[in-house]
């Protein structure tokens, strides 16, 4: 009798987990029905991104383009959840030294914390990846930057979001990276 109750409980638990997962997938499908893929071309760069993101302002002088999650854009047009693409002429010795020197300077600031760095390969292009956090006021953000070189220029594709929103929006950054074209 006790075994039958345990077996019955296990079956009910499995059934409940199955129903919950089906409901979650259905809900996700409902949310994504209104999202289409958009294309933006500017400064020799073409990207694709979901329509719940849009063109936004950047605070960087080297920015070629910036997109942000639409519902995170403030009154100045800057998104709290954003992807910024920059292009800088490589100054000094070589690409790796140039990129690393940028992060050496940032590490002197106590609001900056380097989480990881290293080489990365994206769609056959070798580059550098940096993951770090920063604090401005009371907001702590996580950042992920992918750098690569083309034609004597350093390109940086940088994703930033408050730590609580970082993981759930990272898929847009990954999608953009897999579809970016630089002419």
């Amino acid at each position: 009798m006790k075994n039958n109750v345990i077996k019955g409980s296990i079956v009910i638990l499995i059934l409940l987990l199955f129903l919950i997962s089906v409901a979650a997938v259905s809900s996700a499908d409902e949310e994504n029905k209104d999202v289409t893929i958009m294309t933006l071309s500017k400064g020799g760069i073409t990207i694709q991104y979901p329509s719940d993101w849009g063109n936004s302002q950047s605070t960087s002088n080297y920015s070629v383009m910036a997109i942000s999650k639409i519902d995170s854009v403030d009154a100045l047009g800057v998104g709290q959840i954003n992807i910024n693409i920059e292009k800088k002429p490589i100054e000094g010795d070589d690409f790796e030294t140039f990129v690393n020197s940028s992060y050496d300077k940032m590490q002197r600031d106590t609001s900056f914390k380097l989480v990881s760095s290293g080489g990365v390969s994206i769609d056959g292009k070798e580059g550098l990846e940096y993951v770090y956090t920063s604090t401005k006021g009371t907001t702590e953000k996580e950042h992920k930057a992918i750098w690569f070189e083309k034609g004597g220029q350093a390109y940086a594709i940088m994703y930033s979001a408050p730590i609580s929103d970082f993981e759930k929006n990272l898929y847009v950054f990954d999608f953009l990276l897999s579809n970016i074209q630089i002419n």
Side-chain angles (χ1 to χ4, degrees), residues 166-180:
F166 187 83
E167 286 298 324
K168 65 184 168 189
N169 292 288
L170 185 59
Y171 75 95
V172 175
F173 180 70
D174 293 336
F175 176 77
L176 184 143
L177 282 174
S178 68
N179 292 289
I180 193 168

Side-chain angles (χ1 to χ4, degrees), residues 15-52:
L15 183 60
L16 280 172
L17 290 173
F18 174 75
L19 291 173
I20 290 170
S21 65
V22 167
V25 168
S26 297
S27 174
D29 287 345
E30 297 273 325
E31 290 174 12
N32 291 331
K33 281 184 181 177
D34 295 333
V35 176
T36 57
I37 300 302
M38 309 294 289
T39 301
L40 176 63
S41 291
K42 191 174 178 184
I45 299 172
T46 302
I47 61 170
Q48 293 183 322
Y49 59 94
S51 60
D52 57 343

Side-chain angles (χ1 to χ4, degrees), residues 26-174:
S26 297
S27 174
D29 287 345
E30 297 273 325
E31 290 174 12
N32 291 331
K33 281 184 181 177
D34 295 333
V35 176
T36 57
I37 300 302
M38 309 294 289
T39 301
L40 176 63
S41 291
K42 191 174 178 184
I45 299 172
T46 302
I47 61 170
Q48 293 183 322
Y49 59 94
S51 60
D52 57 343
W53 286 61
N55 203 5
S56 64
Q57 298 298 314
S58 171
T59 57
S60 169
N61 293 334
Y62 295 99
S63 184
V64 175
M65 67 175 68
I67 61 168
S68 298
K69 189 160 186 177
I70 291 172
D71 61 6
S72 80
V73 176
D74 64 21
L76 299 174
V78 178
Q80 294 302 304
I81 302 170
N82 67 65
I83 299 171
N84 185 39
I85 301 172
E86 295 184 1
K87 176 180 163 182
K88 298 179 181 181
I90 297 174
E91 300 168 358
D93 299 327
D94 61 41
F95 169 71
E96 193 167 329
T97 303
F98 173 74
V99 174
N100 288 332
S101 70
S102 298
Y103 291 93
D104 290 343
K105 292 173 192 171
M106 288 174 69
Q107 289 186 63
R108 293 183 200 125
D109 181 349
T110 57
S111 67
F112 167 88
K113 292 181 186 133
L114 184 63
V115 175
S116 66
S117 65
V120 66
S121 179
I122 297 176
D123 203 28
K125 295 179 189 105
E126 297 301 315
L128 299 171
E129 176 184 83
Y130 285 83
V131 177
Y132 57 98
T133 61
S134 68
T135 305
K136 186 174 184 180
T138 59
T139 304
E140 187 174 11
K141 285 186 151 186
E142 188 166 353
H143 312 270
K144 185 173 186 177
I146 303 292
W147 291 76
F148 60 93
E149 177 184 16
K150 184 171 182 180
Q153 301 287 318
Y155 290 86
I157 300 102
M158 298 178 283
Y159 164 57
S160 298
I163 287 182
S164 60
D165 295 315
F166 187 83
E167 286 298 324
K168 65 184 168 189
N169 292 288
L170 185 59
Y171 75 95
V172 175
F173 180 70
D174 293 336

